[in-house]
Amino acid sequence: MRSLIYTLFFCPIFTALAAPSNFYEVTRDVDWESELLGRSEEAGLVPRARTEKSIDAIFKSLGKLYFGTCADSGSLGKADNADVIKADFGQVTPENSGKWDTVEATQGKFNFAGLDTLVNWAQTNNKLVRGHTTVWYSQLPSWVSAIKDKATLTAVIEKHVTTEISRYAGKVLQWDVVNEMFDESGGLRVSVFSSVLGEDFVRIAFEAARKADPAAKLFINDYNTVEKGSTYAKTTGMISHVKKWVDAGVPIDGIGAQAHLMAGEAKNVAASLAALCAVVSQCALTEVDIVNAAPAEYVEVAKACVDIANCVGVTVWGVRDPDSWRASNNPLLFNSAYATKPAYAALVQTIGAMTPAATKAV
């Protein structure tokens, strides 16, 4: 055995020392797991043994509703991915199957195949669902963007929201009714909705959603609301607008903070989230990923929710790094082999030692 190890491992190194430039060229693309263990991800890596508890179970023990992730029929069709969601997450959010260009690409013709798959899978596997998203300026069909008439756009919003949300009445816990409607100054983002209807499109969408499913919690969701600090213009703009709308009777139950963080931004989350949560009955971190996934930063973000009584849960935006929309930044809790990364273990150890925040009705 000793001679075999010498031959396989040390000989190439000694040879390389004589020609270092060649060594780099030869070894930089070597799949060492395949070479030394005789296996590769493509051949079906067996995920490493798990010793950690489920972070979802820990979150629920602290009075939260879920620790979730995003999914769609494609990711649920991957056995390893589905198995990790079953074991580690308590809620799924449709990554794309609930968006307007998928659900109603042609006016009046609805396609719920992908969203049906996700909701049915969630029910079968005892998972909660966050609906995402009915009214959003992006991934919007051109026929909607072309509407110029107030009455027409109002009717289109009402029909789209009503048709989508009523289909899953009683099956979806929360809906991102309006998504990413603010600009970085805290005012309304320019879109067909704000250009034709002004801010009244928010009332129209939320009232339709409430009628479609009175039991669902209705959220407004946006990014750069916790990333930059509690005094950032977008954060304060969202707070002032949502407070005004809630006071006027618009049925907004919650604020969703996406939290797509750059490294070093986690320190801003606690104060920002607390300010957002103070103006609604529920709040949540809805699309969390952190560049380089530093354990301390994931803990800081999750702890911010745990410490706020009406923060009901955290959703990370994907299961494993290669499938993230920010794949090159390795921002998630699982690596390419579906093994937990240090950030997951840090969450289990740190959040698992916490006690529930003071009770507040949600």
Side-chain angles (χ1 to χ4, degrees):
M1 177 62 72
R2 182 177 299 173
S3 61
L4 177 60
I5 293 173
Y6 183 93
T7 302
L8 290 176
F9 187 69
F10 290 106
C11 281
I13 294 176
F14 294 147
T15 302
L17 292 175
S21 61
N22 289 338
F23 178 70
Y24 175 75
E25 293 300 321
V26 169
T27 62
R28 64 176 177 178
D29 296 321
V30 170
D31 180 348
W32 286 108
E33 187 150 31
S34 177
E35 293 297 319
L36 297 177
L37 301 180
R39 62 189 189 185
S40 67
E41 185 179 341
E42 290 74 16
L45 267 178
V46 177
R48 288 165 177 79
R50 287 288 311 281
T51 58
E52 302 96 337
K53 297 178 182 177
S54 161
I55 188 63
D56 179 64
I58 292 172
F59 252 59
K60 288 172 178 171
S61 74
L62 294 172
K64 305 306 175 183
L65 299 180
Y66 58 79
F67 191 94
T69 189
C70 66
D72 264 326
S73 56
S75 56
L76 293 175
K78 298 176 181 177
D80 287 340
N81 199 80
D83 286 346
V84 168
I85 296 175
K86 291 176 187 177
D88 294 273
F89 298 98
Q91 171 264 115
V92 286
T93 301
E95 188 170 11
N96 288 296
S97 61
K99 294 173 181 174
W100 202 317
D101 64 349
T102 298
V103 169
E104 193 185 5
T106 301
Q107 187 171 5
K109 295 183 178 180
F110 290 86
N111 169 25
F112 291 111
L115 196 49
D116 282 351
T117 296
L118 180 132
V119 172
N120 292 339
W121 185 92
Q123 289 197 300
T124 298
N125 291 282
N126 196 31
K127 305 299 180 183
L128 300 172
V129 179
R130 293 195 77 256
H132 178 78
T133 173
T134 53
V135 177
W136 184 32
Y137 78 93
S138 186
Q139 291 182 238
L140 191 66
S142 58
W143 68 267
V144 181
S145 301
I147 297 173
K148 305 297 181 184
D149 177 71
K150 287 186 177 182
T152 301
L153 187 56
T154 296
V156 163
I157 292 172
E158 289 175 338
K159 181 176 181 179
H160 181 81
V161 171
T162 299
T163 303
E164 182 166 3
I165 292 182
S166 64
R167 183 180 182 88
Y168 304 103
K171 299 178 180 180
V172 173
L173 177 72
Q174 303 162 352
W175 278 97
D176 291 331
V177 178
V178 173
N179 193 52
E180 298 178 5
M181 66 161 296
F182 295 105
D183 61 25
E184 297 305 304
S185 70
L188 301 189
R189 178 191 292 277
V190 176
S191 69
V192 62
F193 305 114
S194 62
S195 296
V196 176
L197 295 168
E199 65 181 51
D200 198 42
F201 84 89
V202 177
R203 177 192 62 79
I204 293 165
F206 275 89
E207 288 183 352
R210 176 66 85 223
K211 291 177 183 177
D213 186 356
K217 298 298 183 181
L218 309 180
F219 276 61
I220 187 165
N221 190 54
D222 217 322
Y223 67 94
N224 273 357
T225 56
V226 292
E227 290 89 330
K228 308 299 181 184
S230 60
T231 61
Y232 186 61
K234 190 171 189 177
T235 306
T236 58
M238 174 181 255
I239 290 169
S240 62
H241 278 90
V242 171
K243 187 176 187 304
K244 176 182 68 175
W245 293 328
V246 170
D247 289 346
V250 178
I252 300 172
D253 298 309
I255 288 176
Q258 293 182 13
H260 295 296
L261 304 181
M262 300 297 292
E265 289 183 335
K267 65 182 182 294
N268 298 322
V269 173
S272 303
L273 187 63
L276 294 168
C277 295
V279 299
V280 284
S281 62
Q282 289 191 359
C283 59
L285 293 168
T286 56
E287 303 181 22
V288 178
D289 47 34
I290 306 174
V291 171
N292 296 326
E297 295 199 86
Y298 257 103
V299 167
E300 193 165 11
V301 170
K303 185 177 182 297
C305 180
V306 172
D307 284 340
I308 298 171
N310 66 323
C311 181
V312 297
V314 172
T315 305
V316 293
W317 210 238
V319 172
R320 63 174 193 156
D321 289 332
D323 301 323
S324 167
W325 72 295
R326 307 168 87 185
S328 63
N329 300 131
N330 299 316
L332 298 176
L333 297 173
F334 290 79
N335 66 20
S336 61
Y338 294 102
T340 55
K341 292 163 57 178
Y344 191 100
L347 285 173
V348 169
Q349 180 178 4
T350 306
I351 304 303
M354 294 181 66
T355 55
T359 302
K360 179 178 178 180
V362 295

